[in-house]
Amino acid sequence: MRVGFRQGRFADASRPNWDDDGPRPIDWFAWYPAADSAIEAALPVAPWPQGWFEAGPAALDAPLGPNGTCPLVVYSHGTGCNGLQFEWLARELASRGFVAVAVNHHGNSNAEPYRAEGFLCSWERPRDMSLLIDHIATHPDFEGRINPDRIYAVGYSLGGVTATALLGAIMLRSPFEPGPNLGRGPREFPDLVDHLPRLMEKSQIFRDSWGRMSASYRDPRIKAALLLAPGRSVQGFSDESVAAISVPARIMVGGGDALLPSARWLHERLSGSTFDVVADEAGHYVFLPKSTALGRSADPACCVDPPSVDRGAIHRTVVAAALHLFEA
């Protein structure tokens, strides 16, 4: 089946951007089954601005294939990443009849300058995903073609936290609050915790968002979720809210990932989940796309796996797991 690709942007008028000079932007990227006449080619976009990762061909702006409605999969990226890094899984899903759509989360994506607010207020991300479902379902190119009974979520790292919130988990505490915490910040924003007092004092937009931390972001349209190396912030969810989730979920993580304990914590409380260690020595970044020589040279931490780890083989395992979960 041919794979099409298109991208777009919409805005959430109910939330301001972090500069408070307009609505919150939501950029999206969609892979989908295209018409048989579509011509696949290299896309003028890449999963990383520096060209660190490989990307397969797709038919830019091709019409959707003619065969009925499609299941929808929405994807939330990891801290400081971007939606295009879903490409390796999205193309495979699209070739099997799914519409697979990812977003860039404002202030927490490398597609724009990082913002401390975007890293601290991760609970804004589930709202992006629910609005994405609304937007795609009514978009002129997809309207009437999405099966409302087959909507699924995939999340990587902090995106796994996002997807868990969509299932109904309630965040009680941030890892960056004063007191015992899980670190000063991620590698993309190592002094993140130092920004919290300033923002709390000077930014009304930030205070408003902080006040939404413990709201429910459950979206009952999500029928299953694939959680890839879910981030440490899952341990900020209340045990009771996680235990109340009845939606099927599959958690996949590398045995060499520092976040393995967080993934186990979630699995132990999420009764409808299955758990897979994809490879004993696989690290956190094995769920990013296969890397180029440039990427391996520029950022070995993200792009170089241990000799025993075949990133492509793990990706094929994840594709099979996603299809099994979403087609069950």
Side-chain angles (χ1 to χ4, degrees):
M1 187 177 293
R2 304 285 186 181
V3 173
F5 174 86
R6 64 177 64 243
Q7 60 184 317
R9 166 179 279 209
F10 65 99
D12 179 9
S14 71
R15 294 179 294 170
N17 64 29
W18 294 121
D19 287 323
D20 196 22
D21 60 3
R24 179 180 176 92
I26 302 175
D27 292 315
W28 58 267
F29 313 92
W31 295 259
Y32 52 89
D36 291 340
S37 59
I39 299 175
E40 295 180 342
L43 294 173
V45 292
W48 198 278
Q50 298 93 335
W52 289 357
F53 297 105
E54 297 178 5
L60 183 63
D61 295 331
L64 192 66
N67 298 321
T69 61
C70 303
L72 174 66
V73 177
V74 292
Y75 172 81
S76 178
H77 63 71
T79 297
C81 296
N82 65 69
L84 286 165
Q85 290 167 339
F86 181 43
E87 184 271 347
W88 63 270
L89 179 53
R91 285 187 72 257
E92 292 295 330
L93 293 173
S95 72
R96 291 164 172 83
F98 289 76
V99 173
V101 191
V103 298
N104 287 342
H105 294 292
H106 173 49
N108 189 232
S109 163
N110 58 25
E112 61 176 313
Y114 290 151
R115 297 291 299 256
E117 302 96 319
F119 281 71
L120 289 165
C121 299
S122 62
W123 43 87
E124 298 294 351
R125 295 163 53 114
R127 178 65 177 157
D128 292 344
M129 306 306 291
S130 290
L131 289 171
L132 174 67
I133 295 171
D134 296 341
H135 181 75
I136 294 299
T138 57
H139 190 280
D141 294 310
F142 299 104
E143 188 172 11
R145 302 298 307 277
I146 302 300
N147 184 339
D149 297 320
R150 296 193 64 196
I151 299 177
Y152 312 106
V154 176
Y156 163 62
S157 194
L158 188 57
V161 181
T162 303
T164 307
L166 288 169
L167 301 184
I170 303 293
M171 186 71 68
L172 293 184
R173 60 189 180 277
S174 163
F176 304 108
E177 290 183 85
N181 57 57
L182 298 175
R184 295 181 54 76
R187 71 192 290 258
E188 298 86 358
F189 217 126
D191 65 342
L192 181 61
V193 71
D194 296 335
H195 293 258
L196 180 56
R198 172 185 60 82
L199 290 168
M200 195 66 77
E201 177 185 357
K202 296 184 177 180
S203 174
Q204 184 62 50
I205 295 172
F206 179 79
R207 291 194 297 272
D208 290 345
S209 178
W210 198 262
R212 294 193 287 269
M213 179 193 301
S214 298
S216 174
Y217 297 101
R218 177 176 176 267
D219 192 324
R221 295 173 294 184
I222 304 294
K223 299 301 190 290
L226 177 63
L227 311 175
L228 304 175
R232 290 187 179 93
S233 296
V234 294
Q235 294 179 251
F237 289 133
S238 75
D239 287 23
E240 296 79 9
S241 67
V242 175
I245 294 171
S246 59
V247 179
R250 187 160 185 168
I251 301 169
M252 306 184 80
V253 63
D257 190 341
L259 300 188
L260 178 60
S262 297
R264 290 196 186 279
W265 182 96
L266 182 60
H267 172 58
E268 289 167 359
R269 291 157 177 79
L270 188 54
S271 60
S273 66
T274 56
F275 186 86
D276 297 286
V277 173
V278 296
D280 288 343
E281 293 188 276
H284 187 63
Y285 299 106
V286 74
F287 298 110
L288 294 180
K290 293 175 66 176
S291 56
T292 63
L294 176 60
R296 291 189 292 273
S297 173
D299 192 348
C302 283
C303 299
V304 178
D305 301 306
S308 66
V309 175
D310 182 338
R311 188 174 293 198
I314 289 174
H315 288 180
R316 291 189 290 274
T317 298
V318 174
V319 169
L323 291 171
H324 182 267
L325 177 66
F326 300 151
E327 292 178 347

PDB file of all heavy atoms in Angstrom, residues 16-33:
ATOM      1  N   PRO A  16      -3.042  30.366  25.644  1.00  0.00           N
ATOM      2  CA  PRO A  16      -2.066  31.229  24.972  1.00  0.00           C
ATOM      3  C   PRO A  16      -0.751  30.486  24.765  1.00  0.00           C
ATOM      4  O   PRO A  16      -0.450  29.496  25.441  1.00  0.00           O
ATOM      5  CB  PRO A  16      -1.873  32.375  25.964  1.00  0.00           C
ATOM      6  CG  PRO A  16      -2.127  31.744  27.306  1.00  0.00           C
ATOM      7  CD  PRO A  16      -3.204  30.710  27.075  1.00  0.00           C
ATOM      8  N   ASN A  17       0.041  30.962  23.797  1.00  0.00           N
ATOM      9  CA  ASN A  17       1.402  30.455  23.701  1.00  0.00           C
ATOM     10  C   ASN A  17       2.202  30.995  24.884  1.00  0.00           C
ATOM     11  O   ASN A  17       1.742  31.854  25.637  1.00  0.00           O
ATOM     12  CB  ASN A  17       2.031  30.811  22.354  1.00  0.00           C
ATOM     13  CG  ASN A  17       2.192  32.307  22.130  1.00  0.00           C
ATOM     14  OD1 ASN A  17       2.350  33.091  23.066  1.00  0.00           O
ATOM     15  ND2 ASN A  17       2.160  32.730  20.877  1.00  0.00           N
ATOM     16  N   TRP A  18       3.420  30.485  25.051  1.00  0.00           N
ATOM     17  CA  TRP A  18       4.179  30.848  26.237  1.00  0.00           C
ATOM     18  C   TRP A  18       4.624  32.307  26.229  1.00  0.00           C
ATOM     19  O   TRP A  18       4.971  32.862  27.275  1.00  0.00           O
ATOM     20  CB  TRP A  18       5.382  29.920  26.394  1.00  0.00           C
ATOM     21  CG  TRP A  18       4.999  28.497  26.688  1.00  0.00           C
ATOM     22  CD1 TRP A  18       5.316  27.397  25.947  1.00  0.00           C
ATOM     23  CD2 TRP A  18       4.235  28.017  27.806  1.00  0.00           C
ATOM     24  NE1 TRP A  18       4.784  26.256  26.524  1.00  0.00           N
ATOM     25  CE2 TRP A  18       4.120  26.606  27.663  1.00  0.00           C
ATOM     26  CE3 TRP A  18       3.630  28.622  28.902  1.00  0.00           C
ATOM     27  CZ2 TRP A  18       3.430  25.817  28.588  1.00  0.00           C
ATOM     28  CZ3 TRP A  18       2.941  27.840  29.819  1.00  0.00           C
ATOM     29  CH2 TRP A  18       2.852  26.459  29.664  1.00  0.00           C
ATOM     30  N   ASP A  19       4.614  32.965  25.062  1.00  0.00           N
ATOM     31  CA  ASP A  19       4.935  34.394  24.998  1.00  0.00           C
ATOM     32  C   ASP A  19       3.713  35.271  25.243  1.00  0.00           C
ATOM     33  O   ASP A  19       3.845  36.493  25.336  1.00  0.00           O
ATOM     34  CB  ASP A  19       5.529  34.743  23.626  1.00  0.00           C
ATOM     35  CG  ASP A  19       6.945  34.224  23.457  1.00  0.00           C
ATOM     36  OD1 ASP A  19       7.694  34.254  24.452  1.00  0.00           O
ATOM     37  OD2 ASP A  19       7.282  33.782  22.349  1.00  0.00           O
ATOM     38  N   ASP A  20       2.531  34.665  25.282  1.00  0.00           N
ATOM     39  CA  ASP A  20       1.265  35.391  25.475  1.00  0.00           C
ATOM     40  C   ASP A  20       1.011  36.421  24.382  1.00  0.00           C
ATOM     41  O   ASP A  20       0.450  37.485  24.637  1.00  0.00           O
ATOM     42  CB  ASP A  20       1.242  36.075  26.852  1.00  0.00           C
ATOM     43  CG  ASP A  20      -0.174  36.488  27.257  1.00  0.00           C
ATOM     44  OD1 ASP A  20      -1.151  35.904  26.715  1.00  0.00           O
ATOM     45  OD2 ASP A  20      -0.320  37.400  28.094  1.00  0.00           O
ATOM     46  N   ASP A  21       1.427  36.106  23.156  1.00  0.00           N
ATOM     47  CA  ASP A  21       1.137  37.015  22.051  1.00  0.00           C
ATOM     48  C   ASP A  21       0.316  36.324  20.956  1.00  0.00           C
ATOM     49  O   ASP A  21       0.267  36.786  19.820  1.00  0.00           O
ATOM     50  CB  ASP A  21       2.429  37.601  21.470  1.00  0.00           C
ATOM     51  CG  ASP A  21       3.379  36.533  20.939  1.00  0.00           C
ATOM     52  OD1 ASP A  21       3.022  35.330  20.969  1.00  0.00           O
ATOM     53  OD2 ASP A  21       4.483  36.899  20.488  1.00  0.00           O
ATOM     54  N   GLY A  22      -0.337  35.228  21.303  1.00  0.00           N
ATOM     55  CA  GLY A  22      -1.171  34.499  20.355  1.00  0.00           C
ATOM     56  C   GLY A  22      -1.600  33.176  20.959  1.00  0.00           C
ATOM     57  O   GLY A  22      -1.207  32.822  22.076  1.00  0.00           O
ATOM     58  N   PRO A  23      -2.429  32.410  20.240  1.00  0.00           N
ATOM     59  CA  PRO A  23      -2.884  31.121  20.750  1.00  0.00           C
ATOM     60  C   PRO A  23      -1.776  30.069  20.689  1.00  0.00           C
ATOM     61  O   PRO A  23      -0.780  30.235  19.978  1.00  0.00           O
ATOM     62  CB  PRO A  23      -4.042  30.768  19.820  1.00  0.00           C
ATOM     63  CG  PRO A  23      -3.706  31.454  18.538  1.00  0.00           C
ATOM     64  CD  PRO A  23      -3.012  32.731  18.926  1.00  0.00           C
ATOM     65  N   ARG A  24      -1.966  28.997  21.422  1.00  0.00           N
ATOM     66  CA  ARG A  24      -0.984  27.911  21.462  1.00  0.00           C
ATOM     67  C   ARG A  24      -0.957  27.196  20.114  1.00  0.00           C
ATOM     68  O   ARG A  24      -1.983  26.701  19.640  1.00  0.00           O
ATOM     69  CB  ARG A  24      -1.351  26.924  22.568  1.00  0.00           C
ATOM     70  CG  ARG A  24      -0.394  25.721  22.692  1.00  0.00           C
ATOM     71  CD  ARG A  24      -0.844  24.790  23.807  1.00  0.00           C
ATOM     72  NE  ARG A  24      -0.030  23.585  23.899  1.00  0.00           N
ATOM     73  CZ  ARG A  24       1.048  23.449  24.668  1.00  0.00           C
ATOM     74  NH1 ARG A  24       1.443  24.474  25.411  1.00  0.00           N
ATOM     75  NH2 ARG A  24       1.727  22.315  24.700  1.00  0.00           N
ATOM     76  N   PRO A  25       0.210  27.107  19.470  1.00  0.00           N
ATOM     77  CA  PRO A  25       0.287  26.459  18.158  1.00  0.00           C
ATOM     78  C   PRO A  25       0.442  24.942  18.296  1.00  0.00           C
ATOM     79  O   PRO A  25       1.061  24.445  19.240  1.00  0.00           O
ATOM     80  CB  PRO A  25       1.553  27.069  17.549  1.00  0.00           C
ATOM     81  CG  PRO A  25       2.429  27.326  18.736  1.00  0.00           C
ATOM     82  CD  PRO A  25       1.507  27.702  19.873  1.00  0.00           C
ATOM     83  N   ILE A  26      -0.117  24.218  17.340  1.00  0.00           N
ATOM     84  CA  ILE A  26       0.015  22.762  17.298  1.00  0.00           C
ATOM     85  C   ILE A  26       0.347  22.369  15.860  1.00  0.00           C
ATOM     86  O   ILE A  26      -0.519  22.404  14.976  1.00  0.00           O
ATOM     87  CB  ILE A  26      -1.254  22.056  17.779  1.00  0.00           C
ATOM     88  CG1 ILE A  26      -1.598  22.492  19.211  1.00  0.00           C
ATOM     89  CG2 ILE A  26      -1.087  20.533  17.706  1.00  0.00           C
ATOM     90  CD1 ILE A  26      -2.912  21.947  19.735  1.00  0.00           C
ATOM     91  N   ASP A  27       1.591  22.031  15.608  1.00  0.00           N
ATOM     92  CA  ASP A  27       2.018  21.524  14.297  1.00  0.00           C
ATOM     93  C   ASP A  27       1.797  20.024  14.251  1.00  0.00           C
ATOM     94  O   ASP A  27       2.067  19.318  15.228  1.00  0.00           O
ATOM     95  CB  ASP A  27       3.510  21.818  14.068  1.00  0.00           C
ATOM     96  CG  ASP A  27       3.789  23.296  13.909  1.00  0.00           C
ATOM     97  OD1 ASP A  27       3.044  23.962  13.182  1.00  0.00           O
ATOM     98  OD2 ASP A  27       4.745  23.779  14.532  1.00  0.00           O
ATOM     99  N   TRP A  28       1.328  19.518  13.106  1.00  0.00           N
ATOM    100  CA  TRP A  28       1.072  18.082  13.004  1.00  0.00           C
ATOM    101  C   TRP A  28       1.634  17.514  11.702  1.00  0.00           C
ATOM    102  O   TRP A  28       1.849  18.233  10.723  1.00  0.00           O
ATOM    103  CB  TRP A  28      -0.427  17.781  13.104  1.00  0.00           C
ATOM    104  CG  TRP A  28      -1.313  18.457  12.086  1.00  0.00           C
ATOM    105  CD1 TRP A  28      -1.952  19.646  12.229  1.00  0.00           C
ATOM    106  CD2 TRP A  28      -1.653  17.976  10.780  1.00  0.00           C
ATOM    107  NE1 TRP A  28      -2.669  19.954  11.096  1.00  0.00           N
ATOM    108  CE2 TRP A  28      -2.510  18.933  10.185  1.00  0.00           C
ATOM    109  CE3 TRP A  28      -1.328  16.837  10.054  1.00  0.00           C
ATOM    110  CZ2 TRP A  28      -3.046  18.780   8.901  1.00  0.00           C
ATOM    111  CZ3 TRP A  28      -1.848  16.676   8.768  1.00  0.00           C
ATOM    112  CH2 TRP A  28      -2.696  17.648   8.210  1.00  0.00           C
ATOM    113  N   PHE A  29       1.857  16.196  11.723  1.00  0.00           N
ATOM    114  CA  PHE A  29       2.420  15.459  10.593  1.00  0.00           C
ATOM    115  C   PHE A  29       1.636  14.160  10.453  1.00  0.00           C
ATOM    116  O   PHE A  29       1.477  13.440  11.439  1.00  0.00           O
ATOM    117  CB  PHE A  29       3.901  15.152  10.828  1.00  0.00           C
ATOM    118  CG  PHE A  29       4.689  16.343  11.309  1.00  0.00           C
ATOM    119  CD1 PHE A  29       4.861  16.579  12.668  1.00  0.00           C
ATOM    120  CD2 PHE A  29       5.231  17.243  10.412  1.00  0.00           C
ATOM    121  CE1 PHE A  29       5.571  17.673  13.126  1.00  0.00           C
ATOM    122  CE2 PHE A  29       5.942  18.343  10.846  1.00  0.00           C
ATOM    123  CZ  PHE A  29       6.111  18.566  12.205  1.00  0.00           C
ATOM    124  N   ALA A  30       1.163  13.864   9.254  1.00  0.00           N
ATOM    125  CA  ALA A  30       0.311  12.693   9.049  1.00  0.00           C
ATOM    126  C   ALA A  30       0.860  11.794   7.954  1.00  0.00           C
ATOM    127  O   ALA A  30       1.251  12.259   6.883  1.00  0.00           O
ATOM    128  CB  ALA A  30      -1.115  13.135   8.679  1.00  0.00           C
ATOM    129  N   TRP A  31       0.890  10.507   8.255  1.00  0.00           N
ATOM    130  CA  TRP A  31       1.184   9.453   7.278  1.00  0.00           C
ATOM    131  C   TRP A  31      -0.091   8.635   7.120  1.00  0.00           C
ATOM    132  O   TRP A  31      -0.775   8.350   8.108  1.00  0.00           O
ATOM    133  CB  TRP A  31       2.313   8.559   7.772  1.00  0.00           C
ATOM    134  CG  TRP A  31       3.643   9.233   7.923  1.00  0.00           C
ATOM    135  CD1 TRP A  31       4.700   9.171   7.053  1.00  0.00           C
ATOM    136  CD2 TRP A  31       4.096  10.050   9.018  1.00  0.00           C
ATOM    137  NE1 TRP A  31       5.766   9.898   7.529  1.00  0.00           N
ATOM    138  CE2 TRP A  31       5.425  10.448   8.734  1.00  0.00           C
ATOM    139  CE3 TRP A  31       3.501  10.477  10.218  1.00  0.00           C
ATOM    140  CZ2 TRP A  31       6.163  11.247   9.599  1.00  0.00           C
ATOM    141  CZ3 TRP A  31       4.234  11.282  11.079  1.00  0.00           C
ATOM    142  CH2 TRP A  31       5.549  11.657  10.760  1.00  0.00           C
ATOM    143  N   TYR A  32      -0.425   8.229   5.901  1.00  0.00           N
ATOM    144  CA  TYR A  32      -1.732   7.617   5.676  1.00  0.00           C
ATOM    145  C   TYR A  32      -1.689   6.767   4.414  1.00  0.00           C
ATOM    146  O   TYR A  32      -0.798   6.933   3.558  1.00  0.00           O
ATOM    147  CB  TYR A  32      -2.799   8.706   5.552  1.00  0.00           C
ATOM    148  CG  TYR A  32      -2.453   9.776   4.533  1.00  0.00           C
ATOM    149  CD1 TYR A  32      -2.814   9.633   3.191  1.00  0.00           C
ATOM    150  CD2 TYR A  32      -1.748  10.912   4.902  1.00  0.00           C
ATOM    151  CE1 TYR A  32      -2.481  10.598   2.249  1.00  0.00           C
ATOM    152  CE2 TYR A  32      -1.405  11.884   3.975  1.00  0.00           C
ATOM    153  CZ  TYR A  32      -1.775  11.720   2.647  1.00  0.00           C
ATOM    154  OH  TYR A  32      -1.440  12.664   1.722  1.00  0.00           O
ATOM    155  N   PRO A  33      -2.643   5.836   4.267  1.00  0.00           N
ATOM    156  CA  PRO A  33      -2.697   5.043   3.033  1.00  0.00           C
ATOM    157  C   PRO A  33      -3.121   5.926   1.861  1.00  0.00           C
ATOM    158  O   PRO A  33      -4.174   6.558   1.899  1.00  0.00           O
ATOM    159  CB  PRO A  33      -3.742   3.974   3.351  1.00  0.00           C
ATOM    160  CG  PRO A  33      -4.576   4.550   4.450  1.00  0.00           C
ATOM    161  CD  PRO A  33      -3.673   5.438   5.245  1.00  0.00           C
TER     162      PRO A  33
END
